Amino acid sequence: MSSDARLTLITRPDCHLCEEARAALGRVVAVTGDRWIEWDVTTDVELERDYGDRLPVVLLDGKEHGYWRVEEERLLRDLTTPQL
């Protein structure tokens, strides 16, 4: 599951919060120019086990950034702040 995208959205079908998260990520990447990918927990037992009760989940650079709601301002800040 490798990609050059910094953001990953972990979802499942028929998840209304996941729809909201997709829209939020769309707004964020419209500002930053970053890419994002989506993983569906129903296609991977390990993802389901790790994240299934907290969807949607946003990963930034492979690390959990948040779940249930996308904190757009925080995500924008974290995407645009240089890493030390």
Side-chain angles (χ1 to χ4, degrees), residues 9-81:
L9 180 63
I10 304 173
T11 65
R12 78 168 65 254
D14 302 318
C15 165
H16 74 280
L17 290 177
C18 299
E19 292 296 324
E20 292 175 18
R22 285 183 194 97
L25 282 184
R27 290 187 294 271
V28 168
V29 299
V31 172
T32 66
D34 286 286
R35 289 186 52 243
W36 65 277
I37 58 172
E38 185 170 342
W39 294 343
D40 178 352
V41 297
T42 64
T43 65
D44 186 302
V45 173
E46 189 173 321
L47 283 177
E48 177 73 44
R49 185 191 68 232
D50 293 344
Y51 301 107
D53 61 342
R54 297 182 289 133
L55 297 175
V57 175
V58 175
L59 305 180
L60 172 57
D61 296 328
K63 297 179 182 140
E64 189 172 316
H65 189 269
Y67 57 94
W68 293 331
R69 303 273 182 201
V70 177
E71 297 176 63
E72 291 180 56
E73 289 183 24
R74 181 174 150 245
L75 185 55
L76 277 166
R77 182 184 67 238
D78 292 347
L79 282 165
T80 58
T81 301

